[in-house]
Amino acid sequence: MMWRVLGDVMFVLHAAFLLFFVFGGFLAWKWPRLIWAHLAIVVWSFAIVIVDYDCPFTGVEKYFRRRGGEVPYESGYINHYLDGHIWPEGATPIAEKVGFALVVISYIGFFVIRRRRRAKLRGESVGPRT
């Protein structure tokens, strides 16, 4: 029973990790110090996609599920839980591109907001003059 609960906890932590990957850059607009944690997760996620290795979260979840008497799923977390459920089956590469595009958009917004805040603190005008 405990092992199954730990498997479920890893499932939830992995989901939170993925949600933070997608939306963490936007959260950093409000809480700028989050950008460093988010940047680390973006680098981690980029490496997993580029090198195509298994995420350690998935391995730990599968370990707990095996210890709990379950047969773990064959594929990775995203293919098992998201592909065909959250987006159409086989669209994971598109979903990855959308996720990384949202990261880029959030970072552009982060730097624009940061520049405006710094200019405001210095009493400068930012943007087009009217």
Side-chain angles (χ1 to χ4, degrees), residues 46-99:
F46 187 72
I48 285 175
V49 169
I50 294 300
V51 178
D52 193 30
Y53 64 89
D54 292 334
C55 178
F57 285 125
T58 304
V60 172
E61 179 193 351
K62 288 179 177 182
Y63 169 80
F64 288 150
R65 298 214 180 274
R66 271 192 297 278
R67 292 291 307 240
E70 296 178 41
V71 176
Y73 49 90
E74 292 290 322
S75 60
Y77 181 94
I78 289 175
N79 287 334
H80 180 72
Y81 291 116
L82 306 179
D83 193 45
H85 301 283
I86 303 296
W87 53 75
E89 191 161 335
T92 296
I94 294 168
E96 289 172 345
K97 288 176 180 77
V98 168

Side-chain angles (χ1 to χ4, degrees), residues 21-22 38 41-50 93-107:
F21 165 77
V22 174
H38 189 259
I41 287 173
V42 168
V43 169
W44 168 297
S45 299
F46 187 72
I48 285 175
V49 169
I50 294 300
I94 294 168
E96 289 172 345
K97 288 176 180 77
V98 168
F100 281 107
L102 288 170
V103 168
V104 170
I105 291 166
S106 72
Y107 279 28

